[in-house]
Amino acid sequence: MEERDMVGEKPSVELCKGVNGLDKIVLREARGNSAEVYLFGGHVTSWKNDRGEELLFLSNKAIFRPPKAIRGGIPICFPQFSSHGNLEQHGFARNKIWSIDTDPPSLVSNSLIKTFIDLILKPTDDDFKIWPHSYEFRLRIALASGGDLILIPRIRNTNADGKPFSFTFAYHTYFSVSDISEVRIEGLETLDYFDNLKERERFTEQGDAITFEAEVDKIYLSTPDKIAIIDHEKKRTFVLRKDGLPDAVVWNPWDKRAKAIPDLGDDDYKRMLCVEAAAIEKPITLKPGEEWKGKLELSAVPSSYCSGQLDPQKVLQG
Ligand code: TA6
């Protein structure tokens, strides 16, 4: 694998070649946490803690051949979530080759975070035929010193014809879990959701925490800014903190549907769970010159941290 250092001020950010020679950026934070990002899709494919444990699920059958989106990691759904519109499923951002943004406009963020990369996606002439809008989609991907993975998307309408545009958005995050039957989500109970398995009808969640024993494909609406995924067997809790992304999709294909997905192993559904910070119910509309900014911060903490002094409810409230 060919590797070279990028600019000196960011010594732990390296551009190298990944699967099939695709450009990949490796972020290494001083304490040993790391992340990998492909320019194809602006796609995070790996996030590891300081013990080298992988925290994201990536399918062994992932194809890594544009324009087929990579199965696993964090695909970006833009400008359309799922089939909620006329574009291809989940929009085109995950199918495009992004660029490194060498001179991004300043971003107010934690100045202690030194390990990050800025990417940008802009439309080509061909893209105009699919979605007739001019935009700049900037994405900062950062690793905080505690290992948190932070994603900050900024989308600007650069239309010269005075036209606004609307979009829906999701970070289709595949978390790695020990066994889906041992996992529960806290923070979504009692909320309304659209059930994709029941013609997107609207229901209200009745149970306590959300657990899994069959296929699930739901869009929870107006969700809290924090959601916890508790993995009992791994004794690990993922905490999602989000801003500007009111909805949360929960997806697990379970056995039958997993078999029908060519780039997913038959049993992979047991080891993955998608919890996706999103803006779907109310599309975001930008007038020319306007910019939308969101944020997703992912932490992985030992569950003891959540069940003792800091229980899941406290994680969500605190
Ligand atoms: O986010 C859930 C979902 O929209 C499901 O309906 C399911 O199809 C999944 O995404 C995967 O979509 P993909 O296009 O990546 O195969």
Side-chain angles (χ1 to χ4, degrees):
M1 191 191 300
E2 203 182 286
E3 290 205 355
R4 74 175 172 84
D5 278 356
M6 290 191 60
V7 271
E9 333 144 23
K10 298 181 196 165
S12 52
V13 178
E14 287 177 333
L15 175 63
C16 58
K17 296 291 179 193
V19 182
N20 291 338
L22 293 171
D23 286 324
K24 178 174 87 167
I25 293 129
V26 180
L27 303 173
R28 282 192 198 90
E29 179 278 326
R31 292 186 200 175
N33 302 287
S34 66
E36 296 187 359
V37 185
Y38 276 75
L39 288 185
F40 168 44
H43 196 131
V44 178
T45 53
S46 170
W47 169 40
K48 288 184 182 163
N49 64 17
D50 53 6
R51 291 193 297 280
E53 294 166 339
E54 183 55 68
L55 303 169
L56 297 177
F57 167 84
L58 179 67
S59 170
N60 289 331
K61 294 170 116 183
I63 286 166
F64 288 91
R65 196 162 290 119
K68 167 80 182 115
I70 299 165
R71 176 73 59 196
I74 312 185
I76 294 170
C77 306
F78 168 85
Q80 173 184 298
F81 176 75
S82 183
S83 55
H84 297 237
N86 303 325
L87 300 175
E88 63 202 280
Q89 157 96 347
H90 289 322
F92 47 72
R94 65 178 182 163
N95 312 122
K96 300 282 174 199
I97 306 289
W98 293 51
S99 304
I100 292 173
D101 193 1
T102 47
D103 190 20
S106 70
L107 180 60
V108 182
S109 68
N110 187 341
S111 60
L112 294 173
I113 297 176
K114 305 283 184 226
T115 313
F116 62 87
I117 186 80
D118 285 296
L119 303 184
I120 186 163
L121 181 69
K122 290 188 207 179
T124 61
D125 289 347
D126 271 357
D127 295 341
F128 264 80
K129 294 175 199 152
I130 303 166
W131 200 57
H133 296 293
S134 182
Y135 63 89
E136 289 172 352
F137 184 160
R138 292 193 156 79
L139 174 61
R140 173 164 295 183
I141 300 161
L143 267 180
S145 57
D148 289 6
L149 179 67
I150 302 167
L151 303 169
I152 303 176
R154 291 184 284 175
I155 296 169
R156 178 176 290 278
N157 180 335
T158 53
N159 271 338
D161 58 7
K163 285 199 187 128
F165 62 65
S166 297
F167 63 90
T168 49
F169 183 96
Y171 279 125
H172 199 303
T173 310
Y174 289 72
F175 291 93
S176 168
V177 297
S178 56
D179 174 357
I180 187 70
S181 309
E182 298 291 325
V183 170
R184 72 175 203 270
I185 301 179
E186 298 212 358
L188 302 177
E189 49 285 347
T190 75
L191 296 182
D192 279 10
Y193 63 89
F194 293 127
D195 195 337
N196 209 28
L197 303 178
K198 293 185 181 146
E199 284 150 5
R200 298 203 180 125
E201 213 185 308
R202 189 173 180 133
F203 297 92
T204 302
E205 195 62 69
Q206 302 292 351
D208 297 332
I210 285 126
T211 54
F212 299 89
E213 49 193 27
E215 183 179 1
V216 175
D217 192 351
K218 296 176 177 178
I219 304 169
Y220 289 89
L221 306 172
S222 304
T223 62
D225 291 341
K226 284 188 197 175
I227 297 169
I229 303 168
I230 296 141
D231 185 337
H232 291 291
E233 201 171 297
K234 268 254 158 66
K235 299 191 171 47
R236 176 189 288 149
T237 297
F238 291 108
V239 183
L240 289 79
R241 293 181 183 79
K242 55 192 182 59
D243 195 19
L245 297 163
D247 305 320
V249 181
V250 175
W251 180 59
N252 184 289
W254 219 254
D255 53 354
K256 273 208 203 88
R257 188 149 156 61
K259 285 199 178 87
I261 301 177
D263 53 351
L264 192 67
D266 288 0
D267 284 336
D268 278 352
Y269 75 95
K270 294 177 184 167
R271 302 188 295 115
M272 56 154 276
L273 174 62
C274 289
V275 180
E276 311 167 29
I280 300 167
E281 188 191 17
K282 297 179 187 120
I284 294 156
T285 300
L286 296 176
K287 292 187 198 129
E290 281 185 340
E291 185 178 82
W292 167 82
K293 184 177 158 207
K295 187 172 183 185
L296 174 63
E297 191 164 344
L298 304 178
S299 321
V301 294
S303 287
S304 54
Y305 180 62
C306 296
S307 56
Q309 177 201 14
L310 203 59
D311 69 20
Q313 277 313 313
K314 286 182 188 154
V315 169
L316 295 172
Q317 286 153 16

